[in-house]
Amino acid sequence: YLTGLATARAQATRDGARRLVKTLAGTSAPTLLMGNTDADEAVRMPLDEFLRSHSLVSGASGSGKTTFVLDKQKALLAGNAGFGILDPKQDLVNGFLCLIGRRLAELGRMEARDLRRRIVFLDFSSRDPISPYNIFARWPGADPDFFAGSRTDLLLELLPGADGVSLGASALLRRAILLLSEFNLPITWLDALLRDGNLRTRLVGRTKNTAVAAYFTQQFPNLPKQTVAALSRRMEALFSSDTVRLVLAGTSAPDFRALQDAGKIVVVNCFGRDINRSVRQLLQALVLSDVAHATFARRNHGTPFLWIADEAQNLFVTQHLRDHMMDLLTMARSFGTHLLLVSQNMTTALQDARTLSVLHTNVRWAFAMRGEPADCSFLRSALPVTGRRPKPRTHPFEEPGFYSLNEERGMVQDEIANLPDRTGYLWFKSRSQEALRVVTPELVLPHGDELQAAIDPLRHDPTFGARLSRKEYDQRVGARDAEWLGCPATETTDLGATLADAYRRKRGGEA
């Protein structure tokens, strides 16, 4: 009887875990395997709950976060769920491309074609094919002044040295965005607008915005040259990479509202060998800003869409981004969009207590792997404890003692720093007061050159991911340049080849 009293709490924890595992596995709806408990019981999560929940996955580099997320993406590929990947360091994108290649090889011709049609690949590191992303292309139905103000704030917050830009330069950038976005002209034309009087006169003569026309006619000529030069220099940081310049100079931009409503699979890669860290963060922030605005414009709220963001701590670095994240965490659920945030050090990077509270409050489930114990402080009250962890004895005749529950929780939290790979605490907040210690499924993928060889056919295929071949991209850009700058459009060498290329892209790679 006394032994039963002593082990009651530990037994209650084990019984609660078994009941939770049994409840999760008992549903007739599709499920995802999240991992296995210490008793080798499979922990499964309803697929619909996975897609309709905000969630947080944390852990140090090498702990197994990417493998855990890729395993879930592999399961999603087998169904019709819509989801997106926002990756600033390419590991997640490369692994997912490998999974796509394997899945396409398993499917028949028609099923493979349908899957390819669902995928949209936005790759800032590719010169050919190209994923056009004109960040001055207004969102469908966007108010011009709101769009220009939002883009101005984001660019000036994140571009290197932009915090030193004067109020005059900020006003100039906002007016320039208003003017260029009216005609769907890209950010790469900003320098030409500021320096080329003929282009500026042509644009001002055709604009319907009288306030912008008055600004460039009356105030712009009186701006100090240093102000114009300072703004131009700040924008040049975006174009230090040729691939980013090509993408941003495109004639169109993804419609994230339509992509979410249609349940597409959206893959965004912000990493490239010649893309520096600050530009990667800016690109990630630009995509997040567009996703946030598109989410609240969705029409098909019944179709769930899950955004998986790696290095998610970057999405909270400025007040502008924190506002977007707060809106998504608190309101996006009503529009059918949810977030899976993957991070190494969310708590350490995010010092704003209010934002952290909103994040932890709105997360429906969390998975903490090996990492900084402070990042798992929100899990402390849910960590499984026994109440029977013995205190060390200083001499053999000392009366045995045990740590309190609070002390034991602190020790378990500290031990998170030394968890084995692929091991962590999984907490279903809406289903249980205690987290489960689980080992994630193993996923075997190639590495290094072998992985690159496996994904290169998809990376270089212009019919994959709704991208443009370099030839077609040059034709579109050339036609636009000819209209505004009087430059000859890029010659079309073979009309038949051009039509065949467009047909293959539309058919998803099937000639």
Side-chain angles (χ1 to χ4, degrees):
Y1 174 75
L2 292 177
T3 301
L5 288 179
T7 60
R9 183 172 183 85
Q11 185 62 41
T13 296
R14 288 192 292 268
D15 291 344
R18 291 193 185 98
R19 285 195 299 271
L20 176 59
V21 170
K22 185 177 180 180
T23 300
L24 291 170
T27 178
S28 59
T31 59
L32 292 178
L33 177 62
M34 306 297 284
N36 290 278
T37 65
D38 293 335
D40 201 27
E41 296 171 312
V43 180
R44 295 186 173 275
M45 183 178 186
L47 175 60
D48 190 65
E49 185 175 335
F50 182 85
L51 293 171
R52 297 180 184 271
S53 302
H54 293 312
S55 51
L56 176 62
V57 176
S58 62
S61 177
S63 60
K65 299 190 307 298
T66 301
T67 301
F68 173 79
V69 175
L70 285 172
D71 182 69
K72 307 303 166 285
Q73 292 171 353
K74 178 183 178 182
L76 294 178
L77 270 180
N80 297 315
F83 62 97
I85 302 170
L86 181 53
D87 187 4
K89 59 185 180 68
Q90 204 172 39
D91 291 350
L92 203 57
V93 166
N94 284 351
F96 186 58
L97 289 177
C98 183
L99 293 176
I100 292 174
R102 290 180 177 179
R103 181 62 180 166
L104 290 173
E106 296 170 355
L107 296 174
R109 181 178 177 181
M110 299 298 291
E111 292 82 1
R113 183 199 63 186
D114 292 341
L115 176 58
R116 290 172 67 99
R117 285 179 172 177
R118 290 182 57 214
I119 298 172
V120 177
F121 186 19
L122 178 55
D123 188 3
F124 286 99
S125 68
S126 176
R127 290 182 175 84
D128 187 13
I130 297 174
S131 315
Y133 193 1
N134 176 7
I135 62 173
F136 282 1
R138 296 173 185 170
W139 314 303
D143 177 77
D145 289 299
F146 177 78
F147 175 82
S150 177
R151 279 289 187 257
T152 300
D153 292 343
L154 190 60
L155 289 170
L156 293 184
E157 273 188 329
L158 290 170
L159 276 174
D163 53 350
V165 171
S166 66
L167 291 176
S170 175
L172 172 58
L173 178 59
R174 193 171 72 84
R175 265 52 171 232
I177 293 176
L178 274 169
L179 185 59
L180 291 174
S181 64
E182 182 179 355
F183 302 105
N184 204 36
L185 299 176
I187 190 174
T188 52
W189 282 47
L190 179 62
D191 190 62
L193 171 66
L194 299 179
R195 300 180 186 278
D196 187 343
N198 292 330
L199 174 63
R200 194 163 54 249
T201 300
R202 195 174 301 122
L203 289 169
V204 170
R206 291 178 58 177
T207 182
K208 296 179 181 179
N209 191 322
T210 55
V212 170
Y215 176 84
F216 280 101
T217 303
Q218 301 170 14
Q219 299 182 44
F220 180 78
N222 299 322
L223 282 178
K225 293 183 178 179
Q226 298 91 330
T227 300
V228 178
L231 178 61
S232 183
R233 283 197 305 272
R234 297 300 184 271
M235 294 300 114
E236 285 178 359
L238 259 180
F239 312 133
S240 57
S241 166
D242 290 339
T243 57
V244 173
R245 186 181 186 91
L246 284 169
V247 172
L248 298 182
T251 58
S252 61
D255 183 352
F256 290 108
R257 180 198 61 78
L259 295 177
Q260 291 182 90
D261 282 348
K264 298 286 189 178
I265 299 173
V266 185
V267 184
V268 183
N269 173 43
C270 300
F271 181 86
R273 293 180 179 178
D274 56 349
I275 304 177
N276 61 49
R277 184 172 182 271
S278 61
V279 174
R280 291 200 302 269
Q281 289 187 358
L282 175 58
L283 296 174
Q284 190 179 15
L286 285 166
V287 174
L288 172 70
S289 177
D290 286 354
V291 166
H293 290 294
T295 294
F296 300 116
R298 288 191 61 182
R299 299 170 184 171
N300 187 4
H301 301 173
T303 300
F305 196 94
L306 179 68
W307 281 101
I308 303 170
D310 201 2
E311 298 297 323
Q313 70 274 4
N314 295 339
L315 305 179
F316 296 87
V317 294
T318 70
Q319 186 58 49
H320 193 78
L321 292 176
R322 285 194 291 272
D323 290 343
H324 281 316
M325 291 300 295
M326 294 273 278
D327 289 342
L328 287 170
L329 288 168
T330 56
M331 296 186 293
R333 176 180 176 274
S334 300
F335 295 85
T337 296
H338 293 84
L339 303 174
L340 194 166
L341 305 178
V342 185
S343 174
Q344 293 187 29
N345 52 357
M346 183 68 77
T347 303
T348 307
L350 181 55
Q351 299 296 324
D352 185 358
R354 176 171 171 266
T355 307
L356 264 179
S357 176
V358 171
L359 171 63
H360 293 150
T361 299
N362 288 282
V363 164
R364 192 170 182 179
W365 65 269
F367 185 47
M369 308 180 79
R370 183 181 67 247
E372 175 60 37
D375 277 334
C376 306
S377 57
F378 71 99
L379 269 177
R380 183 185 176 99
S381 63
L383 292 173
V385 292
T386 64
R388 302 297 294 175
R389 179 174 289 205
K391 291 183 177 180
R393 300 167 65 178
T394 57
H395 58 81
F397 301 104
E398 182 180 0
E399 183 178 355
F402 301 93
Y403 288 105
S404 67
L405 294 179
N406 190 50
E407 290 172 333
E408 187 176 354
R409 284 196 179 95
M411 298 174 69
V412 175
Q413 181 183 345
D414 291 339
E415 290 168 357
I416 290 178
N418 305 108
L419 286 174
D421 292 346
R422 297 176 35 236
T423 302
Y425 289 97
L426 178 63
W427 185 24
F428 298 104
K429 291 177 60 178
S430 62
R431 293 179 176 269
S432 174
Q433 294 181 354
E434 288 192 342
L436 301 173
R437 176 166 165 153
V438 301
V439 179
T440 63
E442 188 172 3
L443 181 64
V444 179
L445 291 175
H447 297 279
D449 293 340
E450 188 178 352
L451 174 61
Q452 202 63 41
I455 65 177
D456 274 348
L458 289 178
R459 273 194 172 277
H460 301 306
D461 182 0
T463 67
F464 170 76
R467 296 179 292 171
L468 301 177
S469 67
R470 182 61 181 271
K471 181 173 68 173
E472 186 174 359
Y473 170 88
D474 287 340
Q475 290 170 357
R476 295 190 181 190
V477 170
R480 180 193 64 198
D481 293 351
E483 177 185 358
W484 288 101
L485 302 178
C487 302
T490 304
E491 293 184 0
T492 305
T493 55
D494 185 349
L495 178 60
T498 302
L499 293 175
D501 183 55
Y503 176 78
R504 282 195 301 270
R505 188 176 67 257
K506 184 175 181 180
R507 298 286 294 175
E510 298 294 327

